[in-house]
Amino acid sequence: MSAKQRIILIALSICLIFTFLFSLGLGAFFILPGEVWQVLLAKLGLSSVSPDPLKVDVLFVVRMPRVLLGLLVGAALGVSGAAIQGIFRNPLAEPGLIGISSGASLFAVLIIAFEALLFVELSEWLGYYLLVFGAFLGAGLTAFIVYRIAVKDGRPQVTTMLLAGIAINGFAGALTGLMTYMATEQQLRTITFWMLGSLGGATWDNITVIAPFILVSISFLLCFGKALNAFALGEMQADLLGMRTDKVKLWVVVLSTMAVGASVAVSGIIGFVGLLVPHTVRLLGGADNRYVLAGSLLMGALVLTLADVLSRTAVAPIELPIGVITALLGTPVFLYILIKEK
């Protein structure tokens, strides 16, 4: 990586740390940044000052799980988007393009609509995590179907994978619409809220469930920077350089599915992060995928944390769906980039 790229990554890291601290204090019950820092130090045993118990509860029961979930989901969407764009050699690609998000949403809607009829025993056993498990299963199953359709002569074809993803997206969207049409009023409210995306359901249990999937997947995806740089030259050239392109494509799709599936399972559909963040990172510092993957991790976490702050403070005490915030902010920026760069 160049010196400029390292500086950008350091700047993004510093911005992320400050955003993390400030977002913990923002909300209906405002806590000053100094008090947030004091509570954190006291919790770590590094300060002898006893913080206000109410502020401790607000920070560690309500806000900390939500902010950490935003960091995890944002990082997962950013890195997955960068990896998918690298493997397809297309800056307009994103995990949703190959059906990951639509498959997760379809299975989640099926569980919401038919939980009382078909999933009673599973619901009693898994409780809230039935929805998480269903969304994760839907993401994985959809990605597997798309990948199998794209395989020809033992090798996955990128173009076929894209077209299969578009077809699966349309089919899953139609079934989701049908389930929405058949849902009761209460189910419809739940489906609508989930489809628009939210971090409002964040708990420490949620983080414990999805953190291993997200952390493992993005850790491995960060190791594919050099391989994705070879892909930028074309698959034939990557083969000539000794790259096992089939395995690279398989692992990138599997790891991206794991990260996005886990994210969608707890936060619903959040658009534009996986599409816009990697593109912005490239505009800032270049197309070296080692830099792009790391930058997308940091910027994805930063963008989603800021979007969550807006969602819970813009029209407080009402909470806006975070998917609406990312779409409202992402669409004008993306159109500006398209018009400027052509």
Side-chain angles (χ1 to χ4, degrees):
M1 283 187 286
S2 66
K4 178 184 176 182
Q5 291 170 343
R6 290 190 177 93
I7 291 172
I8 291 172
L9 293 180
I10 292 171
L12 286 173
S13 300
I14 294 171
C15 289
L16 183 59
I17 292 171
F18 278 102
T19 302
F20 171 74
L21 293 175
F22 276 101
S23 64
L24 287 174
L26 294 174
F29 183 77
F30 180 72
I31 304 174
L32 292 171
E35 293 176 318
V36 172
W37 186 246
Q38 186 182 67
V39 171
L40 293 177
L41 290 177
K43 200 70 173 178
L44 294 172
L46 301 176
S47 174
S48 58
V49 179
S50 298
D52 185 348
L54 176 60
K55 294 176 181 177
V56 173
D57 288 341
V58 170
L59 284 178
F60 284 92
V61 177
V62 179
R63 296 204 185 138
M64 184 70 79
R66 181 167 184 150
V67 174
L68 288 177
L69 183 63
L71 294 176
L72 285 172
V73 172
L77 295 176
V79 174
S80 300
I84 292 292
Q85 290 175 9
I87 212 73
F88 290 135
R89 303 188 299 279
N90 186 342
L92 297 180
E94 63 161 340
L97 193 63
I98 58 173
I100 298 173
S101 298
S102 61
S105 63
L106 172 60
F107 273 62
V109 169
L110 284 172
I111 289 173
I112 292 171
F114 295 109
E115 180 177 356
L117 295 176
L118 303 177
F119 306 109
V120 176
E121 293 184 2
L122 281 176
S123 180
E124 292 176 355
W125 181 42
L126 295 175
Y128 168 79
Y129 297 108
L130 175 62
L131 184 62
V132 176
F133 174 76
F136 191 78
L137 177 64
L141 183 61
T142 305
F144 174 76
I145 292 172
V146 170
Y147 189 84
R148 291 305 305 167
I149 292 173
V151 171
K152 181 181 179 183
D153 298 327
R155 303 192 64 177
Q157 306 296 314
V158 170
T159 305
T160 308
M161 194 180 298
L162 284 170
L163 294 174
I166 292 171
I168 293 294
N169 273 327
F171 183 69
L175 289 179
T176 301
L178 180 61
M179 295 301 104
T180 303
Y181 177 76
M182 296 171 59
T184 64
E185 184 176 348
Q186 180 60 40
Q187 291 170 343
L188 185 60
R189 289 177 62 86
T190 305
I191 291 170
T192 302
F193 190 75
W194 193 87
M195 293 287 287
L196 292 175
S198 173
L199 300 178
T203 63
W204 287 110
D205 289 339
N206 286 350
I207 293 173
T208 303
V209 169
I210 70 162
F213 295 102
I214 291 179
L215 293 176
V216 168
S217 57
I218 63 177
S219 297
F220 280 103
L221 283 172
L222 289 174
C223 299
F224 281 93
K226 188 176 180 180
L228 294 177
N229 284 340
F231 259 83
L233 303 172
E235 287 191 47
M236 186 176 296
Q237 285 76 8
D239 283 330
L240 293 175
L241 290 173
M243 191 69 60
R244 302 186 69 177
T245 56
D246 296 343
K247 285 196 172 182
V248 171
K249 284 185 282 190
L250 175 61
W251 277 109
V252 167
V253 170
V254 168
L255 292 170
S256 298
T257 300
M258 185 185 299
V260 175
S263 302
V264 172
V266 294
S267 64
I269 306 296
I270 299 176
F272 274 94
V273 177
L275 174 64
L276 189 59
V277 163
H279 200 59
T280 306
V281 171
R282 288 189 196 92
L283 289 178
L284 290 175
D288 184 343
N289 280 291
R290 294 171 298 176
Y291 150 76
V292 172
L293 289 170
S296 297
L297 183 152
L298 296 171
M299 186 174 283
L302 177 62
V303 166
L304 202 63
T305 303
L306 290 173
D308 182 53
V309 169
L310 282 175
S311 76
R312 54 189 166 91
T313 60
V315 290
I318 300 172
E319 180 180 324
L320 293 174
I322 196 170
V324 173
I325 299 292
T326 56
L328 288 175
L329 297 178
T331 302
V333 174
F334 192 61
L335 288 175
Y336 169 76
I337 293 172
L338 286 178
I339 293 170
K340 182 181 177 182
E341 301 294 330
K342 292 295 182 182

